[in-house]
Structures are given as structure tokens and as C-alpha cells.
Amino acid sequence: MLFRHLFSPFRIKSTELRNRIFSTGHDTYLPEGGLPSDALIAYQRARARGGAGLIIIQVVGVHETARYTEALLMGTSDKCIKPFARLIEVIHEHGARVFVQLFHPGRELLGRPDGVVQPAFAPSHAPSERFKVIPRAMPEQLIGEIVTGFGEAARRMAEAGADGVEIVASHGYLPAQFMNPRVNRRQDHYGGPLENRLRFTREAIGAIRARVHGDFIVGMRMSGDEHDEDGLIEDESVAIARALAPELDYLNVIAGTSATASGATHIVPSMANAHGYVAPFAQKVKQATGAAVLVAGRINQPQIAEQVLASGAADLCGMTRAMIADPEMPNKAQAGRLDDIRACIGCNQACIGHFQLGLSISCIQYPETGRELAYEHKPRTQRRRRILVAGGGPAGLKAAAVAAERGHEVHLHEREAQTGGQARLAQLLPTRAEFGGIVTNLTAEALRHGAVIHRRSTVTRALLEAERPDEVIIATGSRPQLPPFEGQPEQMVHAADLLAGRATAGARVVVYDWMGDWVGAGIAEKLAAEGAHVRLAVNHHCAAANIQTYIRFETVARLHRLGVEVHPWLRLYGGDGKTIYFIHTPSRAPVAMEDVDTLVLNAPNLQDDALAAELEALGIPGRLAGDALSPRTAEEAVYEGMLAGWAV
Ligand code: SF4
């Protein structure tokens, strides 16, 4: 049997899970007013219907001081029971079991209710470096209220029909702050030796157990290693697991901490991290405790999950982003339809990236995610039409897939030998090879739905006259432009030409990064790794300013290790021989960089929309999508491709 371990059932107490795939608790920004919304129900219904064995519902605040974002679910009033019951019932109806995360962030507070930064409470006055939160040490009375809050929230979830709850002691949140001797500096019976530092969590477990029935499951999420000097290290985490395991029904192992740049990258690990890299930590916890152990962290494919389970490192695999990208992944894996799985590429752009922008969860490859109410079910067309898609990048491929799925006859023309457009270049950046998966996945999706792809085929007037399509989707992308520039530098090249191998750089390079995306920092890293002296002149306050936070942290770390000099706030002005001139944007002062062999540009592209005029002349309706409309990222391209395929 394919995936023998993955599709065997698993029992915790009297609750049987149909398989070993679970969705970890993850913020979605879909709740409304602190309660499950129709959008959240539709989102989780899709994952349950797709075959997940267990869905752990995102963090639920247990006390008013726990409101770390405006979109936090709250479990502080009996009024929450009914809305949670609706959500849990829908998940149960589709065969998955449900746990709910119980949460207090302590000092890891992001919320600004009423527009102002709220006061934070933690075990001690130990500021959080990443969010610059300066907490007040919790008085004992508040500790007691929060402990009761864990118990009461668990009671409410049990009454709503949940199978269990999970105390969030991972990622440096409140229970972990109590456990960590470098954060918990209390002198009372909540601080000092390990037994004291575990007291808060033990009291929370006790408060929960006192209020729920005997079959109700109580687990804990924990970081196997917080990956920072001030964080819990592996030995400490194993000791904590060993001490608490007898009081818990499972341990859910992840890595990292919210409190620091290096630790935060493990909260949602990017494609720069190895697949399944948290499994060795889980294995140590399993060996030390013998408990049921769950694990997550870059387990994006069923083959990887099967390996983790077969190794005995864990009993269940968290495949959250795998199901954000493809809610049907478990069903497809079980049916052996492996080529149909839209594997998560670890880009972090629209899942955790959206959360950090205060936006509803989605996926760059599958914009239907988080928008289930509007786009999950595609209406069949009443009238089959001939749709021509010009351009086989992310926008064109998604447009072709959706239009074909709706029943149209679709012909996609790509002028290159391969589909993918700029995404094919993006995968050549350091640590970004997996980005190429978006091309593989979207191409497969278009073909699966019956679109015909014509490679090495440029859409010309002659082709349009011959084909006479009913409508054309223009997804012809964009092309590099020279920004305004005074003078003549020694050598000036576009980053895209370097990546494509159409140009080379000298030994002393300045990369001018107007965009602040993956390309400027990535090309700087690539050239530095190849031995060049690299200065990265950015038009922002830091390198890679416009990319998802954790990927920026990882990028900045690698640039630092390679000795790349980062120069912030610069606008390119001109050049003369080996000297390049900039303007420091806040002060308007001139800045010169000397001894430059090559100036590499990562500057705004120009949309390639020439086809629109041809269509107008021929009287054929056309619509623009992606960069051809306005240059942005692959996320917007795929989203607009979906809209175009929907609209034709
Ligand atoms: Fe995976 Fe990227 Fe989609 Fe997030 S946005 S689920 S990381 S492919």
C-alpha cells in the first residue's frame, strides 16, 4: 500500500484519527469579532473534505490580555460556544477530528486595539527584542486569572464539541516564557528551579482537566529548540517534555521563537530549510517521553511525511501549508494521484506573509484558498468559447487552467520553449530553487483541465487572424527597463540577464535594488558567493525590505555572512567610468561609490501589453492579467489569471 504509515489510523484516548496528517494551528485572519466566521468555516471545511485526519484550530485567546492581534479568536465568554460548535460540526461532518489551540502570548504582543500599543504582561520584565515589547511582570492574581482562563476556554471548546485542546507553549509564548530561565527571572514559586518554572503550565493543565470529561484530549505544542541564544535549547526542551508528558495526551513539536530574528524564521520555515528538518527534535522528545508525538516543519509532500513516520520520529505529521496550497492533498495522496498534488514551495508569501500584513490567508499558487466562499466552486460555462491565452507565465497558466476547468476550449501560446516566464529565472536565485515548483504545478493544472499549450509560439496578428479566438487573455508579462541615469558607467546589466546567463559581472559589483524583493538581495548573494566584492545599494531602509519577514531575516543573515555591504536609502542617479552616484533619499545628499566594475540593476519593469492594440484593431475582445497589466509579483499574476479565467 502506498503511504502505509501515513494512511494508518491513530488513536489518542478514545479519539481515532483516520490518518496521520494534521493541520497545525495557524492564524488565518478569517475570524470576525473574535469568533469563527463563515469564511473560516469554508476554509476549514475544504481541508476536512480534502482528507486531513486532524485539524487543530488556530490560537484562541484565554484572557483579555492575550489579544495579540485584532483577528484573534477568543474563548473568554460562553457566547463563543455556539459559533465554535458550528465550525467544529462542519469539520466533523467531513471526517476529521478537531483540537483547539489555547493561547496567551505573554510579551509577544502585536495588537493595537483602539490604535495604541497595549500593555504587555510576562513572567518578568524581559523585553521582547523582535517586537520591542517591554512587558510588566505579572502579579500572582493575573497569573491565577490566566490559569482559570485556560480552564474555562477548554470547557467552552469541550461544550462546542472539540475532541481536545492544545496549550501553545511553543515559539516563546507565555508558557514558554515561564519555562525559560533567561526570560523568567521571578523570585517567587513561579521562578527559579525547573519545577517552579513549570508551575504555570501545570496549573493550566490542572485547570483544564478539572473542567472537561475524561476522554477529552489535552496536548501541548512546544519548540524542540528555539534557535536563539536567549531561547530554550534542545536539552531544556527535552527536560520540559519529560517532566510534563505524564500529565499530557500528546506533545506537538516545532522549532523557533517569536522573540528574535533568528528564532522567528522557524515559526514558518521557508524553502531555505530542509524538508522535515524538525523531525530529529521530535524523535528526541519521543525517545525521552514515549508520548504520542506530533511534528511539523517543511513536511510539504506525502513522501516526506511517510519517511518521518517510518523513521519513528513522530506519530503524526503537520502538513499545514501543504493543505493551504492544496486542500485535496491527502485525498490525492491516498488515491495515488501524486502528479496532481500542488506541492507547497515554502515561499511564505501569501500564507504567513498575509497574516503579517493583517490580511486573510491565501496561497500564491492557489488564490482560491482563504477565498473559498467566492472561488472554491467554479461555475461551468453556459457557452463553450475559444479562449486564447498569450503568455505561459503564472498569470497565463492559471487563466488557462480556470478557463479550461470551466469548460472553454483553451489554447495557451508561450513564445519560449518552456512555460514559466520570470518564475523560471526566480528559481535560479540562491536558496530559491523550489520556486520553480510553481511553474510545474500551474502547467500541470492547465494541462489537467484540458488546456492546449503551444510552446515556441508567439501570438502575432497573423496567428490571431488565423485562429479568430472569441476572447484573448493577455498575460505577456513585463520586461526590464533602464531607470533614469546620467552618464556612462563601466558596465551596467540587468539582474535578469545575469541570472539567465546572458551577461556577466566583474570582480567589484554594485547591485542597485529599487524593488526590495527577492532579486536584488539574491543576485548580491549569488555574486558574493561566487567571489565578487558586492555592495548592495537599496532604495529602502534595509535589504529585501519588501519580502516576507522570515525570508528577509534569512536573506539578511546570509548577506551578512558573505560580507555584502548594505547601503540603505539610496536612489540611483548616474555613473561615470568606475564611479556610481546616488542620492540619499531622506537627506537628498549625494553618495558616490568608487571602483565599480559592474552596476547590476533590479529596477521596475515595464508591462508588455503591445498585443492589446492588435486585438483592438482586429475587434477581438481581450483582457490583461498579471505583469502585462501592471508589473508585480507571481501572487498577483496567479490571482489575476484566476479572475481572467473566471470572467471569460
Ligand atoms: Fe506554500 Fe507559498 Fe502557498 Fe504559503 S503561499 S502555502 S508557502 S506555496
Side-chain angles (χ1 to χ4, degrees):
M1 176 186 161
L2 195 61
F3 306 126
R4 185 166 61 85
H5 297 88
L6 195 55
F7 290 102
S8 61
F10 188 70
R11 181 174 284 269
I12 307 178
K13 288 187 156 174
S14 64
T15 297
E16 181 160 292
L17 314 178
R18 61 184 163 187
N19 60 42
R20 309 298 186 96
I21 299 169
F22 76 101
S23 171
T24 61
H26 57 286
D27 272 297
T28 59
Y29 249 93
L30 294 173
E32 281 170 20
L35 296 169
S37 61
D38 288 348
L40 181 62
I41 290 171
Y43 170 80
Q44 294 294 14
R45 179 194 289 120
R47 273 81 208 157
R49 197 173 46 211
L54 166 68
I55 288 178
I56 303 182
I57 294 173
Q58 64 192 84
V59 287
V60 171
V62 299
H63 188 268
E64 278 306 309
T65 53
R67 287 185 185 271
Y68 89 139
T69 69
E70 281 73 47
L72 181 67
L73 286 170
M74 293 300 286
T76 48
S77 155
D78 281 2
K79 289 193 182 121
C80 77
I81 296 172
K82 247 190 180 168
F84 271 97
R86 275 183 65 218
L87 170 61
I88 292 164
E89 190 183 353
V90 165
I91 298 172
H92 278 162
E93 271 170 15
H94 290 279
R97 312 306 302 193
V98 184
F99 301 165
V100 182
Q101 286 193 320
L102 301 185
F103 178 71
H104 195 296
R107 64 180 184 166
E108 299 305 311
L109 219 55
L110 305 162
R112 282 175 170 254
D114 219 11
V116 298
V117 177
Q118 65 199 95
F121 295 90
S124 307
H125 171 81
S128 171
E129 180 178 276
R130 182 161 153 239
F131 297 123
K132 303 291 179 249
V133 177
I134 307 168
R136 184 180 176 87
M138 283 182 175
E140 270 207 41
Q141 187 202 336
L142 180 57
I143 294 175
E145 283 180 24
I146 294 170
V147 165
T148 304
F150 271 96
E152 285 294 295
R155 173 185 64 77
R156 292 176 183 119
M157 295 308 131
E159 286 181 26
D163 301 291
V165 290
E166 177 176 280
I167 296 169
V168 182
S170 56
H171 300 134
Y173 296 124
L174 184 60
Q177 290 161 33
F178 271 101
M179 294 168 185
N180 185 338
R182 291 163 296 286
V183 178
N184 177 354
R185 301 167 195 152
R186 296 178 77 94
Q187 306 292 322
D188 60 10
H189 62 161
Y190 288 101
L194 179 62
E195 279 302 300
N196 283 2
R197 284 183 276 119
L198 292 178
R199 188 178 308 280
F200 172 80
T201 307
R202 282 209 162 103
E203 288 181 353
I205 297 169
I208 294 168
R209 293 274 190 218
R211 289 169 173 82
V212 296
H213 58 85
D215 271 344
F216 196 72
I217 293 162
V218 183
M220 184 178 85
R221 197 167 205 212
M222 57 178 291
S223 292
D225 191 322
E226 291 189 351
H227 291 297
D228 195 84
E229 283 66 27
D230 283 341
L232 289 165
I233 59 171
E234 187 182 287
D235 288 351
E236 291 171 318
S237 293
V238 170
I240 289 164
R242 197 180 280 122
L244 293 179
E247 294 155 61
L248 293 161
D249 300 315
Y250 73 86
L251 292 160
N252 184 0
V253 180
I254 182 69
T257 171
S258 165
T260 65
S262 66
T265 61
H266 299 277
I267 298 176
V268 185
S270 77
M271 67 177 88
N273 299 275
H275 293 122
Y277 78 110
V278 184
F281 295 113
Q283 187 145 35
K284 290 203 171 104
V285 169
K286 183 138 191 78
Q287 283 165 351
T289 64
V293 168
L294 284 58
V295 69
R298 287 282 282 144
I299 305 176
N300 71 332
Q301 288 270 42
Q303 296 90 331
I304 295 159
E306 182 69 13
Q307 274 174 22
V308 170
L309 297 170
S311 75
D315 300 294
L316 299 178
C317 283
M319 303 186 73
T320 313
R321 283 176 292 171
M323 291 184 282
I324 293 172
D326 191 343
E328 287 287 326
M329 181 276 296
N331 286 344
K332 290 177 182 174
Q334 191 162 22
R337 292 167 50 209
L338 303 187
D339 289 346
D340 291 356
I341 293 174
R342 185 185 306 105
C344 164
I345 56 174
C347 70
N348 280 7
Q349 194 174 337
C351 45
I352 182 67
H354 272 205
F355 166 74
Q356 289 167 332
L357 294 170
L359 303 170
S360 300
I361 194 166
S362 194
C363 173
I364 68 163
Q365 302 191 81
Y366 189 61
E368 291 89 334
T369 283
R371 302 180 176 101
E372 282 80 7
L373 291 175
Y375 296 115
E376 188 180 21
H377 303 292
K378 297 176 180 66
R380 294 286 295 179
T381 179
Q382 299 297 312
R383 191 165 63 89
R384 183 173 162 88
R385 301 167 74 216
R386 279 169 61 80
I387 306 300
L388 188 150
V389 180
L397 289 168
K398 184 67 179 179
V402 173
E405 186 177 359
R406 292 187 49 237
H408 290 301
E409 179 187 338
V410 179
H411 291 264
L412 183 151
H413 295 261
E414 164 56 46
R415 65 180 164 219
E416 305 284 338
Q418 292 169 286
T419 53
Q422 292 177 59
R424 278 196 300 117
L425 286 183
Q427 69 182 332
L428 301 176
L429 291 165
T431 75
R432 302 285 293 173
E434 219 166 316
F435 198 80
I438 193 172
V439 181
T440 314
N441 292 333
L442 287 168
T443 304
E445 198 171 324
L447 292 172
R448 190 161 59 246
H449 291 301
V452 180
I453 296 179
H454 305 265
R455 294 176 168 86
R456 288 200 180 92
S457 175
T458 302
V459 179
T460 59
R461 193 180 183 114
L463 185 136
L464 290 167
E465 280 173 338
E467 296 289 325
R468 292 308 300 186
D470 293 316
E471 188 159 349
V472 174
I473 296 171
I474 307 167
T476 37
S478 63
R479 51 178 186 274
Q481 284 290 293
L482 280 182
F485 193 86
E486 291 282 326
Q488 191 59 51
E490 188 88 343
Q491 189 199 10
M492 180 156 58
V493 298
H494 289 293
D497 290 331
L498 274 182
L499 277 176
R502 295 187 291 260
T504 55
R508 294 184 61 83
V509 175
V510 166
V511 176
Y512 174 57
D513 184 10
W514 187 93
M515 298 291 294
D517 59 12
W518 307 266
V519 178
I523 203 78
E525 179 184 346
K526 178 174 155 59
L527 294 171
E530 289 168 0
H533 173 272
V534 180
R535 284 164 278 184
L536 176 59
V538 298
N539 193 241
H540 298 84
H541 63 289
C542 67
N546 280 346
I547 67 176
Q548 191 268 328
T549 312
Y550 304 152
I551 296 184
R552 178 166 67 249
F553 291 161
E554 290 174 331
T555 304
V556 166
R558 292 193 303 272
L559 292 175
H560 180 79
R561 287 185 202 115
L562 286 165
V564 172
E565 295 171 18
V566 179
H567 299 262
W569 298 117
L570 295 184
R571 180 195 305 146
L572 184 63
Y573 178 79
D576 183 8
K578 284 184 173 287
T579 303
I580 305 295
Y581 301 104
F582 297 91
I583 294 168
H584 183 254
T585 54
S587 68
R588 301 170 71 192
V591 173
M593 291 189 191
E594 295 178 337
D595 200 14
V596 180
D597 296 326
T598 308
L599 172 64
V600 180
L601 298 173
N602 183 37
N605 275 10
L606 178 69
Q607 72 272 6
D608 192 346
D609 59 357
L611 202 55
E614 296 279 9
L615 291 173
E616 205 173 330
L618 291 167
I620 299 172
R623 63 181 73 234
L624 295 154
D627 272 18
L629 175 60
S630 167
R632 286 151 295 157
T633 76
E635 179 183 358
E636 290 78 19
V638 177
Y639 174 72
E640 287 173 3
M642 176 185 76
L643 296 185
W646 196 281
V648 291

